[in-house]
């Protein structure tokens, strides 16, 4: 029986098991949801649009993967912002999974990481709205908006 983990072309462990919409592994052979591809280079606008579409579809775990890619690719002066956005998405994931304590911890960390960008939010992000969301009830039916609705200036 082969018990070695699945590996990507670079030799990193990658679990090929299907996942549910909240990123939980399902039994091999089960029908899972399509995963957000990792390591995809995206512009900040593309990352925000894709992550928001995943959040709107009830897939915060997959949105976190997109935001994590942006975090890893971000310039040094924006890295904490993208890290915080990814943490907010993971916090929402934990809330949806019923892990209120883990959700609260991650949302607090995420809010602390995005807060320094409130005075001059880059990429049209609604940092004030994100911080207001983070202070509200952790309800999986209350996903956050990365940008304020309406036309972008």
């Amino acid at each position: 029986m082969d018990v070695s983990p699945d590996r990507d072309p670079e030799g990193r462990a990658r679990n090929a098991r299907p996942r549910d919409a909240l990123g939980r592994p399902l039994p091999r052979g089960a029908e899972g949801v399509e995963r957000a591809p990792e390591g995809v280079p995206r512009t900040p606008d593309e990352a925000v649009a894709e992550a928001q579409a995943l959040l709107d579809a009830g897939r915060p775990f997959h949105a976190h993967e997109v935001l994590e890619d942006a975090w890893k690719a971000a310039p040094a002066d924006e890295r904490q912002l993208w890290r915080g956005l990814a943490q907010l998405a993971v916090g929402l994931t934990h809330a949806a999974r019923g892990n209120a304590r883990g959700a609260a911890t991650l949302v607090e960390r995420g809010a602390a990481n995005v807060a320094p960008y409130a005075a001059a939010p880059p990429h049209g992000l609604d940092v004030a709205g994100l911080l207001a969301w983070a202070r509200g009830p952790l309800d999986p039916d209350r996903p956050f908006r990365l940008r304020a609705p309406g036309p972008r200036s």
Side-chain angles (χ1 to χ4, degrees):
M1 181 170 148
D2 180 20
V3 293
S4 64
D6 300 315
R7 302 275 173 185
D8 69 11
E10 289 80 39
R12 291 186 302 261
R14 298 282 185 220
N15 190 326
R17 284 175 58 187
R19 304 272 175 162
D20 72 6
L22 295 175
R24 293 176 289 216
L26 298 170
R28 290 191 190 277
E31 186 75 27
V33 299
E34 185 177 342
R35 294 171 81 164
E38 294 179 60
V40 174
R42 299 172 184 91
T43 66
D45 282 344
E46 290 168 340
V48 169
E50 188 169 343
Q52 189 65 63
L54 289 164
L55 288 165
D56 293 346
R59 298 177 61 193
F61 177 81
H62 298 87
H64 128 267
E65 291 178 331
V66 170
L67 295 166
E68 187 174 276
D69 280 346
W71 162 25
K72 292 175 182 176
D77 62 335
E78 290 184 10
R79 208 157 277 142
Q80 289 305 103
L81 169 70
W82 292 101
R83 180 181 186 190
L85 295 173
Q87 288 169 321
L88 292 173
V90 174
L92 183 57
T93 300
H94 280 280
R97 290 177 177 176
N99 178 2
R101 187 176 185 181
T105 298
L106 282 157
V107 167
E108 287 172 21
R109 286 181 191 159
N113 281 318
V114 301
Y117 299 88
H123 313 296
L125 292 166
D126 182 12
V127 174
L130 291 167
L131 294 172
W133 175 88
R135 288 188 296 271
L138 285 176
D139 179 353
D141 294 325
R142 194 177 66 93
F144 54 85
R145 301 287 314 161
L146 294 166
R147 292 186 172 132
R152 224 178 122 197
S153 50

